[in-house]
Amino acid sequence: MTRPAGSRPPSVKEWRLNLYLSEHDPDTTARIVLDTGDNVLETRAEARRNPYDMAVPEIGDELAAGRALIALGRELLRAAAGDIDAVGAPEATPPVPLWTSRE
């Protein structure tokens, strides 16, 4: 029998995230591998320097990593949505407006 969330002892989980960056000027690629212990998710993203811009490798790293993190966030949200559907949770109902417009 599961206990209500309020009566469960607190738990701590550790998810391992590895971020790999590779640069082949003018391209930078970021690869992220997230291991939750139950699942492994992987995302990739790229950044490309404009040939007329000054070469600053850190900018390519930041752009590629940021894009890969955004992609990972989307993957996590999709996984959660699938899990919610799998347990048969009802769809969220839209909030009731605080007031109605006068017509």
Side-chain angles (χ1 to χ4, degrees):
M1 179 169 125
T2 59
R3 293 183 284 180
S7 65
R8 289 187 200 157
S11 66
V12 175
K13 294 182 180 183
E14 180 176 327
W15 289 5
R16 298 195 182 269
L17 184 140
N18 292 313
L19 180 114
Y20 305 95
L21 293 166
S22 61
E23 184 178 341
H24 302 302
D25 195 36
D27 298 328
T28 302
T29 302
R31 183 175 139 245
I32 295 178
V33 178
L34 174 66
D35 184 351
T36 68
D38 297 321
N39 295 305
V40 175
L41 297 173
E42 182 176 336
T43 60
R44 293 178 185 267
E46 295 182 350
R48 173 171 284 190
R49 181 178 58 83
N50 184 314
Y52 298 106
D53 289 343
M54 182 173 37
V56 183
E58 294 82 13
I59 294 173
D61 293 348
E62 292 164 350
L63 286 170
R67 290 171 180 165
L69 286 166
I70 289 168
L72 179 62
R74 289 184 181 130
E75 287 292 321
L76 285 168
L77 291 172
R78 275 193 284 273
D83 292 342
I84 289 168
D85 288 343
V87 298
E91 289 190 31
T93 56
V96 177
L98 297 174
W99 63 88
T100 57
S101 61
R102 296 183 183 180
E103 298 191 35

